Amino acid sequence: MSNKKRLHPVAMLLSLLRYAREAALPLIFFVFVGGGSGYEWWHVIAIGALLLFTIGNGVLGWFFYTYQVENNELRIHQGFIFRKKRFIPRERIQSIDFSEGLIQRLFSLVKVQIETAGGGGEPEVVMSALRREDAELLRSELYDKRKPILDEEVEELENPKTFEYKLSWRELLIAASTSGGIGVVLSFVAAFASQVDDLLPDAFYESITERVMEATLPYVLLGVAFLLLVSWIFSVLGTVLKYGGFILTRMENDLIINRGILEKRQLTIPVHRIQAIRIVEGVLRQPFGYSVLYVESGGGGGKDEQFSTILFPLIKRKKVTEVLAEILPELAIHEEYTSLPVRARRRYFFRFCIPVLLPIGVISYFVPYGAMSILLLPISALIGYLHYRDAASGVKNDVALLQFRQIGRTRVYVSRKKIQSLEIETTFFQKRRQLATFKVSILSSFAGKQFRVKDLGRSHAEELLNWYSYRSNKRKDNEE
Amino acid sequence: MRLEPSKQIDPQGLKVWQITGGLVSLLAIALLCGLFVIHLMIVPIPLWTLVISCILALLFFLLQTWVLPRLRWSKWRYEVTEHEIELKYGVIVVKRTLIPMVRVQHVDTRQGPLLRAYRLSSVTISTAATTHEIPALSNDIADELRDRISVLARVAEEDV
């Protein structure tokens, strides 16, 4: 393809909506607060000019945005005043994702996002509206031609699906109700409350404060419980909308994920781009034996998934090995690990107990009944113990396993070939107890990721270093 | 027990670190001067506070120019083989890092004014996820190392 193509005209509408969303708050502020003494003629002109500018910007932006695939590169030209050209070689593309928001679905269009390994949370290319066939064409040009099609491979193409996995409604509901996204919703509510703060009349606040002051403790607790319930329901709804209709397919050398009810997304992850697998058992999920499975890959993943991609929103902890063996046989996961030595336990207790000592002291001194806060100490000790108990690491063949607790229990599998660098770290106190921290760095869409397990036995840490080292592997090969 | 990396960094690097330490401790000395100014011009400060501050500043100065640079320098080890780069460094926290040659994305040498005055360069090795630095090598060794790593990394090319 050598001719330049434009996005679907709906892209103009989308950019307009995006501006509108960004401008909404300032505009509301402007209208309600700035125009306190009634509207004057220049307000109207200012808003009119802003509107005209935005529309003009959208139209010109659309007109001057072109893309083409040429010379094994995706070439994007954009900009009217500031011309920008972006050329991305095909080999550097990490992922191409399709998604359909409400507006895209209305016009049966797709939004295409293309990522390279370059850092930053944002995809390198976002095309907000393409016709589906154009998008498919673009993907096939950027993806499939990468490998030359040999005669043998054509046969395989006839039945390319080797594995498919659907998330059932029951699993979706369990995943949603235990997602712990409640915190996110609560903070959203708080942020929203602080935004509408200025808009409500003072009398409203006064009456509320009065009522709260009058209310007895049970009512306050009831109110809090109600707020939590509402946030939880929103969180469940959010998760269901996002992960509804989840289907994971292994197609030749790609993993393809389709998901979403309102906004449909399709993500494609080439298997050889997968850097690591992360399995997280959330606090609410662990008792039921459920976990979430993430993949770390060079591109893709948003902030809410910590720059990874969810491969299984919910999976029985026991089935992980079996399912992964089927869908990702390349990564031979295993259960071989060494837990921490007993001498590391003390350090974990200290790590969690010492930081709470100061607050406890302060609270005990200044707050009536503050001495009750001493109860934090056994809680911290328990958390410390759990962290100690769950930390482990091990290697088998070419795959390393790191297990540690963040809030939920996390297990990371990474193949030796995907580790960018490996480090063992010994502090003064660790040295005295013959302990070390084990750390691996992998590529991720956001400037690389580190995983670490603290306080391994020193000799075990050295074994891990040797496992990674070419030198010692060479020696082993020679001996065999 | 795995062998330690064998090479040390340039002895001149020690001097650079000592000078840097001296510059950093200028901050402590400036604070001390400020204290004396307050004492003389604004409000008298108890003598023992001044004495303790002087001692602390002196200790800081010694630590920055003498003890720490020496320890740091004596602990630094690196080794570059055909297939990997190994680093070992750190006084209170000892770090041991392995970077396979296939993972190296690019190597830089660079020098600030101080390093340049002593004809030294530091070598920075970047992977797709991390950056590592060998802090002070003589210009010749640094250039040679940079070129060698660059060639070795290219030979071992493997797409991420």
Side-chain angles (χ1 to χ4, degrees):
Chain A
M1 176 169 71
S2 54
N3 55 324
K4 293 178 177 179
K5 285 192 173 181
R6 285 203 183 86
L7 304 184
H8 192 275
V10 167
M12 287 185 267
L13 178 65
L14 286 162
S15 93
L16 202 64
L17 284 176
R18 201 171 55 236
Y19 280 120
R21 206 175 53 202
E22 278 165 20
L25 267 180
L27 220 60
I28 287 172
F29 191 78
F30 182 74
V31 169
F32 280 84
V33 184
S37 57
Y39 300 108
E40 287 176 41
W41 58 273
W42 61 269
H43 287 159
V44 182
I45 291 189
I47 290 179
L50 199 72
L51 210 64
L52 216 71
F53 176 77
T54 317
I55 292 173
N57 206 16
V59 174
L60 288 174
W62 170 79
F63 186 79
F64 285 96
Y65 190 107
T66 59
Y67 70 93
Q68 65 183 130
V69 180
E70 204 175 56
N71 207 1
N72 276 328
E73 284 180 328
L74 172 65
R75 298 181 172 178
I76 287 170
H77 295 240
Q78 70 182 106
F80 165 54
I81 299 168
F82 299 99
R83 301 273 165 107
K84 192 164 116 186
K85 294 177 187 174
R86 178 168 265 178
F87 291 9
I88 301 176
R90 203 150 63 173
E91 301 78 45
R92 288 284 167 254
I93 292 174
Q94 294 276 351
S95 66
I96 301 175
D97 297 339
F98 292 174
S99 60
E100 297 167 45
L102 280 180
I103 291 181
Q104 279 96 342
R105 283 172 80 178
L106 216 58
F107 296 93
S108 53
L109 302 169
V110 291
K111 173 175 168 186
V112 179
Q113 303 191 351
I114 297 174
E115 303 210 40
T116 69
E122 293 291 305
E124 269 67 29
V125 176
V126 181
M127 299 188 195
S128 55
L130 279 189
R131 279 187 305 157
R132 186 160 261 290
E133 54 268 35
D134 283 341
E136 295 284 358
L137 185 70
L138 181 68
R139 176 158 71 183
S140 71
E141 280 184 310
L142 290 176
Y143 249 174
D144 302 343
K145 275 195 212 153
R146 184 161 42 195
K147 27 189 194 277
I149 296 174
L150 303 170
D151 287 66
E152 303 97 74
E153 279 182 84
V154 178
E155 270 172 49
E156 276 177 43
L157 278 174
E158 282 168 16
N159 190 14
K161 267 186 207 176
T162 49
F163 182 89
E164 191 178 83
Y165 163 85
K166 278 196 179 93
L167 189 72
S168 69
W169 274 100
R170 189 178 151 266
E171 286 173 308
L172 178 64
L173 282 175
I174 296 174
S177 53
T178 56
S179 73
I182 188 166
V184 180
V185 177
L186 272 181
S187 61
F188 178 77
V189 168
F192 183 73
S194 74
Q195 289 289 348
V196 296
D197 206 61
D198 299 334
L199 302 178
L200 295 173
D202 285 343
F204 177 78
Y205 280 104
E206 276 159 28
S207 77
I208 289 256
T209 346
E210 240 169 69
R211 277 185 207 184
V212 170
M213 297 304 261
E214 279 168 17
T216 40
L217 193 64
Y219 281 103
V220 174
L221 286 180
L222 213 66
V224 171
F226 178 73
L227 196 68
L228 281 173
L229 186 73
V230 170
S231 329
W232 179 73
I233 289 170
F234 270 106
S235 146
V236 169
L237 265 177
T239 315
V240 167
L241 290 180
K242 196 166 167 204
Y243 294 107
F246 186 98
I247 301 172
L248 169 68
T249 323
R250 167 84 192 236
M251 198 139 3
E252 284 179 80
N253 293 321
D254 295 324
L255 294 180
I256 297 169
I257 295 166
N258 285 286
R259 67 172 201 217
I261 291 181
L262 280 186
E263 188 191 26
K264 284 189 178 177
R265 282 179 68 86
Q266 188 186 79
L267 301 106
T268 311
I269 309 163
V271 166
H272 71 279
R273 297 279 197 228
I274 292 176
Q275 309 289 321
I277 293 280
R278 187 159 55 96
I279 302 152
V280 180
E281 294 170 79
V283 178
L284 291 175
R285 289 175 179 146
Q286 199 177 354
F288 304 102
Y290 283 113
S291 57
V292 188
L293 213 154
Y294 298 85
V295 286
E296 312 287 347
S297 70
K303 216 181 261 167
D304 49 337
E305 295 178 6
Q306 297 156 342
F307 300 106
S308 338
T309 306
I310 287 192
L311 200 57
F312 288 90
L314 193 76
I315 183 169
K316 274 272 182 199
R317 177 72 184 76
K318 282 181 196 153
K319 284 178 75 183
V320 168
T321 317
E322 182 190 324
V323 169
L324 270 183
E326 207 171 342
I327 196 159
L328 255 183
E330 291 87 350
L331 193 80
I333 69 165
H334 57 84
E335 288 280 325
E336 289 201 9
Y337 57 84
T338 313
S339 298
L340 300 189
V342 182
R343 61 181 186 277
R345 194 165 56 196
R346 245 175 56 164
R347 286 181 52 78
Y348 272 83
F349 278 135
F350 285 159
R351 193 169 291 144
F352 287 90
C353 289
I354 287 173
V356 295
L357 285 181
L358 186 70
I360 287 178
V362 172
I363 293 170
S364 306
Y365 190 79
F366 288 107
V367 181
Y369 299 108
M372 295 278 277
S373 63
I374 198 92
L375 281 173
L376 282 174
L377 208 57
I379 295 171
S380 309
L382 179 70
I383 294 171
Y385 174 72
L386 289 177
H387 278 247
Y388 158 76
R389 194 197 59 190
D390 288 330
S393 65
V395 292
K396 188 184 174 191
N397 300 334
D398 257 357
V399 178
L401 158 64
L402 288 87
Q403 185 176 288
F404 50 88
R405 181 174 281 277
Q406 273 169 339
I407 293 170
R409 185 163 72 186
T410 306
R411 190 172 254 208
V412 175
Y413 286 101
V414 50
S415 110
R416 184 167 63 197
K417 275 186 264 167
K418 297 296 184 191
I419 298 176
Q420 299 287 338
S421 73
L422 181 145
E423 190 168 288
I424 58 176
E425 199 182 278
T426 323
T427 65
F428 176 70
F429 293 106
Q430 282 178 324
K431 196 175 174 186
R432 288 209 321 205
R433 301 202 153 260
Q434 291 282 304
L435 298 168
T437 297
F438 171 49
K439 195 158 109 186
V440 302
S441 304
I442 61 158
L443 173 72
S444 92
S445 53
F446 197 73
K449 249 185 200 173
Q450 263 90 39
F451 298 110
R452 71 190 75 205
V453 184
K454 286 178 181 164
D455 298 333
L456 302 181
R458 205 185 151 89
S459 55
H460 181 51
E462 294 223 344
E463 268 170 44
L464 296 172
L465 195 71
N466 275 336
W467 164 81
Y468 188 56
S469 168
Y470 181 88
R471 237 193 307 170
S472 31
N473 280 298
K474 196 74 195 164
R475 211 179 306 139
K476 213 171 13 181
D477 288 348
N478 288 343
E479 279 165 18
E480 275 166 10
Chain B
M1 179 95 182
R2 189 184 162 82
L3 286 176
E4 301 223 322
S6 61
K7 296 222 166 50
Q8 283 193 290
I9 60 173
D10 199 280
Q12 296 282 320
L14 177 58
K15 284 188 195 163
V16 173
W17 284 348
Q18 286 178 324
I19 294 170
T20 318
L23 292 176
V24 170
S25 39
L26 277 184
L27 193 75
I29 290 162
L31 281 177
L32 201 64
C33 291
L35 218 55
F36 273 97
V37 168
I38 291 173
H39 175 68
L40 293 175
M41 307 272 222
I42 305 168
V43 126
I45 292 171
L47 196 64
W48 60 271
T49 330
L50 291 176
V51 173
I52 287 182
S53 307
C54 277
I55 294 173
L56 281 180
L58 190 71
L59 277 179
F60 186 72
F61 180 77
L62 279 179
L63 208 66
Q64 283 291 331
T65 57
W66 194 256
V67 184
L68 278 181
R70 243 158 227 287
L71 274 174
R72 205 143 75 92
W73 186 85
S74 67
K75 296 280 182 191
W76 240 105
R77 294 282 186 289
Y78 72 94
E79 185 159 0
V80 177
T81 65
E82 190 187 339
H83 297 283
E84 61 198 9
I85 300 161
E86 188 169 359
L87 311 175
K88 183 174 188 245
Y89 59 97
V91 178
I92 296 162
V93 182
V94 181
K95 292 188 180 186
R96 215 164 154 175
T97 312
L98 261 182
I99 311 143
M101 216 44 100
V102 272
R103 298 275 80 105
V104 174
Q105 295 276 328
H106 57 266
V107 229
D108 307 324
T109 52
R110 54 178 175 194
Q111 44 182 196
L114 259 179
L115 283 178
R116 185 155 48 224
Y118 283 87
R119 294 172 201 292
L120 298 173
S121 301
S122 59
V123 177
T124 312
I125 301 147
S126 305
T127 70
T130 54
T131 310
H132 310 269
E133 191 183 38
I134 305 175
L137 297 175
S138 78
N139 282 339
D140 297 342
I141 295 183
D143 287 347
E144 194 251 37
L145 197 65
R146 179 198 57 209
D147 295 346
R148 187 152 64 97
I149 293 175
S150 174
V151 168
L152 288 172
R154 218 175 310 145
V155 171
E157 179 87 56
E158 190 179 289
D159 199 16
V160 186

